[in-house]
Amino acid sequence: MARLLRWDGAGWQRVPYPGEETPGTELTWAETADDGSVWVAGRFEDGTRLLHHDGEAGRWTPPVPGASTAEGPARVRLSPSGEAHLVGRDLARWDGQGWTVLPAVPGIRLVVTDLLPFAPDDVWAVGGAFGVGGPPGKPPGVVLARFDGSAWSHVSGDGLPFSVGALQAICAVGTGRGPGTGAAVAAGWDFWDDSTAPYLRWDGAAWSGERGEANGEDVTVRDVCGVPGTGGAWSVGHTRNTGPEQTRFRIERYG
């Protein structure tokens, strides 16, 4: 059974929602809105959907039309205007009335791991692309792309401080939230240099590469969260290439 839990400052409390007892219901990610309600990505009645819960009652959206996979979505991300975006094999935006399915980010064996929506015509996507074939263990190429409301365009070449590896997460930082002006931080894994956490910072016009604290450990970042009112973020991840028994979780305050 997929449980929805809420932290009340002292402990975790179970929050009932429609479909909680239904076999096959899946909850995969939660995102809190400015009004205190929560959007949860998941699957219900064999459809990829969102659950919106205001603390008193929950309601599922209709399923994403034409969803291509039975897997639950990886994340849900909210834009400044409150529109909810599903992240996974299918990319879609819920505006409160209906779904808009976004085109797939072009690439071969490409996986989108996170989205940062500033506006319907200003959405960033991060991930990795494995390309055609290759030997076992071949690393992916970094994916950083922007949606202008009609098509995706990739950032590559001089726009990327590193290109082999993957970006796992992206978040808004600072106070800029308008299309074309919002600041952002992305993070992930640099295949050629994983001695420190690799970060990319967007200032509204260009991307620049920055690094976290060096502590002698190889590292990959799994998620980032901006600190309100600052240009900084918290990141969470783990060490790499150390074997399951030696792998350690890693938390870093960046910026």
Side-chain angles (χ1 to χ4, degrees):
M1 296 181 183
R3 297 302 188 202
L4 181 61
L5 303 176
R6 182 177 185 178
W7 178 260
D8 63 7
W12 290 100
Q13 305 297 326
R14 176 182 166 189
V15 179
Y17 66 91
E20 181 181 15
E21 306 295 335
T22 303
T25 298
E26 182 182 7
L27 305 180
T28 57
W29 196 270
E31 189 89 349
T32 304
D34 291 341
D35 62 4
S37 65
V38 65
W39 289 90
V40 184
R43 289 184 60 81
F44 175 57
E45 295 181 340
D46 295 326
T48 299
R49 305 170 186 252
L50 284 171
L51 171 69
H52 187 218
H53 205 296
D54 63 7
E56 299 295 332
R59 180 182 178 184
W60 289 95
T61 67
V64 176
S68 61
T69 178
E71 298 177 5
R75 303 178 190 245
V76 55
R77 293 302 196 193
L78 302 179
S79 68
S81 59
E83 295 175 318
H85 293 66
L86 276 179
V87 187
R89 291 185 182 272
D90 299 287
L91 307 177
R93 180 178 66 249
W94 174 258
D95 63 6
Q97 302 296 322
W99 286 105
T100 299
V101 177
L102 305 184
V105 180
I108 300 174
R109 296 170 64 200
L110 185 148
V111 177
V112 173
T113 53
D114 203 0
L115 289 180
L116 175 57
F118 284 119
D121 59 354
D122 189 8
V123 181
W124 287 99
V126 298
F130 287 86
V132 178
K138 171 189 173 184
V142 170
V143 170
L144 177 61
R146 191 176 194 177
F147 183 65
D148 64 4
S150 60
W152 292 96
S153 58
H154 283 272
V155 177
S156 58
D158 293 340
L160 286 175
F162 67 99
S163 59
V164 181
L167 290 173
Q168 301 284 0
I170 184 170
C171 70
V173 296
T175 57
R177 298 287 285 172
T181 63
V185 165
W189 165 53
D190 181 351
F191 174 76
W192 293 114
D193 181 7
D194 57 6
S195 61
T196 57
Y199 298 97
L200 275 66
R201 181 179 292 275
W202 172 255
D203 63 6
W207 288 96
S208 59
E210 301 178 2
R211 288 283 174 166
E213 180 182 355
N215 59 3
E217 295 180 335
D218 51 353
V219 60
T220 183
V221 175
R222 290 293 183 181
D223 202 9
V224 287
C225 180
V227 179
T230 77
W234 283 96
S235 73
V236 294
H238 55 83
T239 57
R240 295 183 56 88
N241 303 321
T242 54
E245 297 79 11
Q246 293 79 36
T247 297
R248 293 185 298 278
F249 291 116
R250 190 174 189 277
I251 302 174
E252 182 173 68
R253 175 67 161 83
Y254 159 75

mmCIF file of all heavy atoms in Angstrom, residues 107-138:
data_model
loop_
_atom_site.group_PDB
_atom_site.id
_atom_site.type_symbol
_atom_site.label_atom_id
_atom_site.label_comp_id
_atom_site.label_asym_id
_atom_site.label_seq_id
_atom_site.Cartn_x
_atom_site.Cartn_y
_atom_site.Cartn_z
ATOM 1 N N GLY A 107 17.067 12.893 -28.496
ATOM 2 C CA GLY A 107 18.317 12.241 -28.129
ATOM 3 C C GLY A 107 18.162 10.735 -28.175
ATOM 4 O O GLY A 107 17.039 10.208 -28.174
ATOM 5 N N ILE A 108 19.280 10.029 -28.235
ATOM 6 C CA ILE A 108 19.282 8.572 -28.312
ATOM 7 C C ILE A 108 19.491 7.995 -26.916
ATOM 8 O O ILE A 108 20.463 8.330 -26.249
ATOM 9 C CB ILE A 108 20.380 8.078 -29.272
ATOM 10 C CG1 ILE A 108 20.133 8.639 -30.675
ATOM 11 C CG2 ILE A 108 20.433 6.551 -29.304
ATOM 12 C CD1 ILE A 108 21.237 8.330 -31.669
ATOM 13 N N ARG A 109 18.548 7.163 -26.493
ATOM 14 C CA ARG A 109 18.586 6.562 -25.156
ATOM 15 C C ARG A 109 18.773 7.656 -24.106
ATOM 16 O O ARG A 109 19.612 7.583 -23.230
ATOM 17 C CB ARG A 109 19.686 5.501 -25.067
ATOM 18 C CG ARG A 109 19.475 4.307 -25.976
ATOM 19 C CD ARG A 109 20.710 3.418 -26.032
ATOM 20 N NE ARG A 109 20.995 2.829 -24.720
ATOM 21 C CZ ARG A 109 22.192 2.341 -24.378
ATOM 22 N NH1 ARG A 109 23.202 2.422 -25.239
ATOM 23 N NH2 ARG A 109 22.374 1.805 -23.196
ATOM 24 N N LEU A 110 17.932 8.664 -24.233
ATOM 25 C CA LEU A 110 18.010 9.841 -23.359
ATOM 26 C C LEU A 110 17.003 9.706 -22.218
ATOM 27 O O LEU A 110 15.852 9.309 -22.430
ATOM 28 C CB LEU A 110 17.738 11.106 -24.172
ATOM 29 C CG LEU A 110 17.880 12.451 -23.465
ATOM 30 C CD1 LEU A 110 18.360 13.514 -24.459
ATOM 31 C CD2 LEU A 110 16.547 12.897 -22.853
ATOM 32 N N VAL A 111 17.452 10.028 -21.021
ATOM 33 C CA VAL A 111 16.603 9.970 -19.831
ATOM 34 C C VAL A 111 16.545 11.362 -19.208
ATOM 35 O O VAL A 111 17.593 11.957 -18.904
ATOM 36 C CB VAL A 111 17.147 8.964 -18.804
ATOM 37 C CG1 VAL A 111 16.288 8.969 -17.539
ATOM 38 C CG2 VAL A 111 17.200 7.558 -19.402
ATOM 39 N N VAL A 112 15.341 11.892 -19.026
ATOM 40 C CA VAL A 112 15.150 13.155 -18.313
ATOM 41 C C VAL A 112 14.956 12.835 -16.833
ATOM 42 O O VAL A 112 14.070 12.058 -16.472
ATOM 43 C CB VAL A 112 13.934 13.925 -18.858
ATOM 44 C CG1 VAL A 112 13.652 15.160 -17.996
ATOM 45 C CG2 VAL A 112 14.170 14.348 -20.296
ATOM 46 N N THR A 113 15.774 13.427 -15.976
ATOM 47 C CA THR A 113 15.700 13.163 -14.541
ATOM 48 C C THR A 113 15.026 14.276 -13.758
ATOM 49 O O THR A 113 14.557 14.055 -12.645
ATOM 50 C CB THR A 113 17.103 12.934 -13.958
ATOM 51 O OG1 THR A 113 17.942 14.039 -14.313
ATOM 52 C CG2 THR A 113 17.712 11.657 -14.510
ATOM 53 N N ASP A 114 14.959 15.486 -14.326
ATOM 54 C CA ASP A 114 14.340 16.588 -13.586
ATOM 55 C C ASP A 114 13.968 17.710 -14.543
ATOM 56 O O ASP A 114 14.536 17.828 -15.635
ATOM 57 C CB ASP A 114 15.291 17.114 -12.513
ATOM 58 C CG ASP A 114 14.572 17.828 -11.372
ATOM 59 O OD1 ASP A 114 13.332 17.912 -11.405
ATOM 60 O OD2 ASP A 114 15.249 18.301 -10.443
ATOM 61 N N LEU A 115 13.000 18.525 -14.119
ATOM 62 C CA LEU A 115 12.572 19.708 -14.864
ATOM 63 C C LEU A 115 12.561 20.904 -13.929
ATOM 64 O O LEU A 115 12.292 20.782 -12.736
ATOM 65 C CB LEU A 115 11.153 19.531 -15.424
ATOM 66 C CG LEU A 115 10.891 18.577 -16.570
ATOM 67 C CD1 LEU A 115 9.400 18.600 -16.914
ATOM 68 C CD2 LEU A 115 11.723 18.920 -17.789
ATOM 69 N N LEU A 116 12.804 22.079 -14.504
ATOM 70 C CA LEU A 116 12.614 23.345 -13.794
ATOM 71 C C LEU A 116 11.741 24.234 -14.675
ATOM 72 O O LEU A 116 12.215 24.821 -15.646
ATOM 73 C CB LEU A 116 13.948 24.026 -13.501
ATOM 74 C CG LEU A 116 13.845 25.418 -12.857
ATOM 75 C CD1 LEU A 116 13.049 25.370 -11.563
ATOM 76 C CD2 LEU A 116 15.223 26.015 -12.622
ATOM 77 N N PRO A 117 10.442 24.322 -14.369
ATOM 78 C CA PRO A 117 9.549 25.159 -15.176
ATOM 79 C C PRO A 117 9.445 26.574 -14.619
ATOM 80 O O PRO A 117 8.988 26.781 -13.489
ATOM 81 C CB PRO A 117 8.207 24.419 -15.059
ATOM 82 C CG PRO A 117 8.263 23.745 -13.721
ATOM 83 C CD PRO A 117 9.712 23.501 -13.394
ATOM 84 N N PHE A 118 9.892 27.562 -15.390
ATOM 85 C CA PHE A 118 9.688 28.959 -15.035
ATOM 86 C C PHE A 118 8.367 29.477 -15.603
ATOM 87 O O PHE A 118 7.696 30.289 -14.984
ATOM 88 C CB PHE A 118 10.840 29.811 -15.555
ATOM 89 C CG PHE A 118 12.112 29.683 -14.759
ATOM 90 C CD1 PHE A 118 13.274 29.219 -15.353
ATOM 91 C CD2 PHE A 118 12.155 30.023 -13.420
ATOM 92 C CE1 PHE A 118 14.446 29.106 -14.629
ATOM 93 C CE2 PHE A 118 13.317 29.903 -12.678
ATOM 94 C CZ PHE A 118 14.472 29.457 -13.288
ATOM 95 N N ALA A 119 8.013 29.011 -16.800
ATOM 96 C CA ALA A 119 6.793 29.433 -17.487
ATOM 97 C C ALA A 119 6.524 28.398 -18.581
ATOM 98 O O ALA A 119 7.400 27.578 -18.897
ATOM 99 C CB ALA A 119 6.965 30.824 -18.089
ATOM 100 N N PRO A 120 5.319 28.396 -19.174
ATOM 101 C CA PRO A 120 5.055 27.421 -20.236
ATOM 102 C C PRO A 120 6.040 27.476 -21.393
ATOM 103 O O PRO A 120 6.270 26.476 -22.062
ATOM 104 C CB PRO A 120 3.631 27.788 -20.690
ATOM 105 C CG PRO A 120 3.000 28.382 -19.476
ATOM 106 C CD PRO A 120 4.098 29.157 -18.807
ATOM 107 N N ASP A 121 6.625 28.670 -21.628
ATOM 108 C CA ASP A 121 7.597 28.791 -22.718
ATOM 109 C C ASP A 121 9.028 28.943 -22.191
ATOM 110 O O ASP A 121 9.901 29.451 -22.889
ATOM 111 C CB ASP A 121 7.250 29.975 -23.619
ATOM 112 C CG ASP A 121 7.225 31.308 -22.870
ATOM 113 O OD1 ASP A 121 7.358 31.301 -21.624
ATOM 114 O OD2 ASP A 121 7.075 32.356 -23.521
ATOM 115 N N ASP A 122 9.266 28.480 -20.977
ATOM 116 C CA ASP A 122 10.612 28.566 -20.395
ATOM 117 C C ASP A 122 10.781 27.434 -19.383
ATOM 118 O O ASP A 122 10.543 27.624 -18.184
ATOM 119 C CB ASP A 122 10.826 29.923 -19.734
ATOM 120 C CG ASP A 122 12.269 30.149 -19.296
ATOM 121 O OD1 ASP A 122 13.137 29.319 -19.639
ATOM 122 O OD2 ASP A 122 12.525 31.154 -18.603
ATOM 123 N N VAL A 123 11.171 26.270 -19.889
ATOM 124 C CA VAL A 123 11.319 25.075 -19.059
ATOM 125 C C VAL A 123 12.696 24.473 -19.316
ATOM 126 O O VAL A 123 13.107 24.293 -20.476
ATOM 127 C CB VAL A 123 10.235 24.024 -19.380
ATOM 128 C CG1 VAL A 123 10.392 22.793 -18.478
ATOM 129 C CG2 VAL A 123 8.842 24.607 -19.243
ATOM 130 N N TRP A 124 13.429 24.161 -18.243
ATOM 131 C CA TRP A 124 14.728 23.492 -18.352
ATOM 132 C C TRP A 124 14.576 22.014 -18.033
ATOM 133 O O TRP A 124 13.814 21.646 -17.128
ATOM 134 C CB TRP A 124 15.739 24.112 -17.397
ATOM 135 C CG TRP A 124 16.228 25.459 -17.806
ATOM 136 C CD1 TRP A 124 15.798 26.665 -17.336
ATOM 137 C CD2 TRP A 124 17.243 25.748 -18.770
ATOM 138 N NE1 TRP A 124 16.481 27.699 -17.947
ATOM 139 C CE2 TRP A 124 17.374 27.160 -18.834
ATOM 140 C CE3 TRP A 124 18.061 24.957 -19.588
ATOM 141 C CZ2 TRP A 124 18.281 27.793 -19.679
ATOM 142 C CZ3 TRP A 124 18.962 25.583 -20.428
ATOM 143 C CH2 TRP A 124 19.076 26.975 -20.478
ATOM 144 N N ALA A 125 15.299 21.168 -18.759
ATOM 145 C CA ALA A 125 15.341 19.733 -18.500
ATOM 146 C C ALA A 125 16.783 19.292 -18.336
ATOM 147 O O ALA A 125 17.684 19.798 -19.023
ATOM 148 C CB ALA A 125 14.701 18.953 -19.652
ATOM 149 N N VAL A 126 17.026 18.358 -17.415
ATOM 150 C CA VAL A 126 18.360 17.789 -17.218
ATOM 151 C C VAL A 126 18.255 16.275 -17.236
ATOM 152 O O VAL A 126 17.200 15.692 -16.997
ATOM 153 C CB VAL A 126 18.995 18.258 -15.893
ATOM 154 C CG1 VAL A 126 19.189 19.764 -15.872
ATOM 155 C CG2 VAL A 126 18.167 17.810 -14.687
ATOM 156 N N GLY A 127 19.394 15.630 -17.510
ATOM 157 C CA GLY A 127 19.426 14.172 -17.539
ATOM 158 C C GLY A 127 20.709 13.657 -18.145
ATOM 159 O O GLY A 127 21.774 14.278 -18.038
ATOM 160 N N GLY A 128 20.594 12.509 -18.807
ATOM 161 C CA GLY A 128 21.747 11.883 -19.449
ATOM 162 C C GLY A 128 21.304 11.135 -20.690
ATOM 163 O O GLY A 128 20.157 10.689 -20.787
ATOM 164 N N ALA A 129 22.204 11.008 -21.672
ATOM 165 C CA ALA A 129 21.915 10.295 -22.914
ATOM 166 C C ALA A 129 23.030 9.299 -23.183
ATOM 167 O O ALA A 129 24.204 9.670 -23.215
ATOM 168 C CB ALA A 129 21.781 11.274 -24.077
ATOM 169 N N PHE A 130 22.669 8.037 -23.392
ATOM 170 C CA PHE A 130 23.658 6.968 -23.556
ATOM 171 C C PHE A 130 24.055 6.743 -25.011
ATOM 172 O O PHE A 130 25.014 6.024 -25.278
ATOM 173 C CB PHE A 130 23.133 5.673 -22.947
ATOM 174 C CG PHE A 130 23.127 5.692 -21.443
ATOM 175 C CD1 PHE A 130 22.052 6.221 -20.759
ATOM 176 C CD2 PHE A 130 24.199 5.208 -20.726
ATOM 177 C CE1 PHE A 130 22.040 6.253 -19.362
ATOM 178 C CE2 PHE A 130 24.205 5.234 -19.341
ATOM 179 C CZ PHE A 130 23.125 5.764 -18.655
ATOM 180 N N GLY A 131 23.351 7.344 -25.947
ATOM 181 C CA GLY A 131 23.739 7.224 -27.346
ATOM 182 C C GLY A 131 23.549 5.819 -27.888
ATOM 183 O O GLY A 131 22.816 5.003 -27.332
ATOM 184 N N VAL A 132 24.238 5.536 -28.969
ATOM 185 C CA VAL A 132 24.103 4.249 -29.652
ATOM 186 C C VAL A 132 25.128 3.260 -29.111
ATOM 187 O O VAL A 132 26.324 3.517 -29.154
ATOM 188 C CB VAL A 132 24.300 4.417 -31.175
ATOM 189 C CG1 VAL A 132 24.195 3.070 -31.867
ATOM 190 C CG2 VAL A 132 23.274 5.394 -31.740
ATOM 191 N N GLY A 133 24.650 2.124 -28.604
ATOM 192 C CA GLY A 133 25.535 1.019 -28.219
ATOM 193 C C GLY A 133 26.644 1.432 -27.272
ATOM 194 O O GLY A 133 26.494 2.309 -26.426
ATOM 195 N N GLY A 134 27.772 0.776 -27.422
ATOM 196 C CA GLY A 134 28.918 1.075 -26.578
ATOM 197 C C GLY A 134 29.217 -0.063 -25.630
ATOM 198 O O GLY A 134 28.398 -0.962 -25.412
ATOM 199 N N PRO A 135 30.414 -0.078 -25.040
ATOM 200 C CA PRO A 135 30.803 -1.160 -24.137
ATOM 201 C C PRO A 135 30.030 -1.083 -22.830
ATOM 202 O O PRO A 135 29.475 -0.039 -22.474
ATOM 203 C CB PRO A 135 32.293 -0.872 -23.900
ATOM 204 C CG PRO A 135 32.421 0.606 -24.083
ATOM 205 C CD PRO A 135 31.451 0.948 -25.174
ATOM 206 N N PRO A 136 29.976 -2.199 -22.063
ATOM 207 C CA PRO A 136 29.325 -2.172 -20.754
ATOM 208 C C PRO A 136 29.964 -1.107 -19.858
ATOM 209 O O PRO A 136 31.182 -0.954 -19.830
ATOM 210 C CB PRO A 136 29.577 -3.584 -20.209
ATOM 211 C CG PRO A 136 29.785 -4.430 -21.425
ATOM 212 C CD PRO A 136 30.474 -3.544 -22.416
ATOM 213 N N GLY A 137 29.134 -0.373 -19.154
ATOM 214 C CA GLY A 137 29.645 0.665 -18.274
ATOM 215 C C GLY A 137 29.938 1.980 -18.958
ATOM 216 O O GLY A 137 30.473 2.898 -18.334
ATOM 217 N N LYS A 138 29.612 2.088 -20.241
ATOM 218 C CA LYS A 138 29.828 3.341 -20.960
ATOM 219 C C LYS A 138 29.070 4.471 -20.283
ATOM 220 O O LYS A 138 27.870 4.361 -20.019
ATOM 221 C CB LYS A 138 29.345 3.201 -22.400
ATOM 222 C CG LYS A 138 29.334 4.508 -23.182
ATOM 223 C CD LYS A 138 28.642 4.334 -24.524
ATOM 224 C CE LYS A 138 28.469 5.666 -25.238
ATOM 225 N NZ LYS A 138 27.711 5.510 -26.506
#
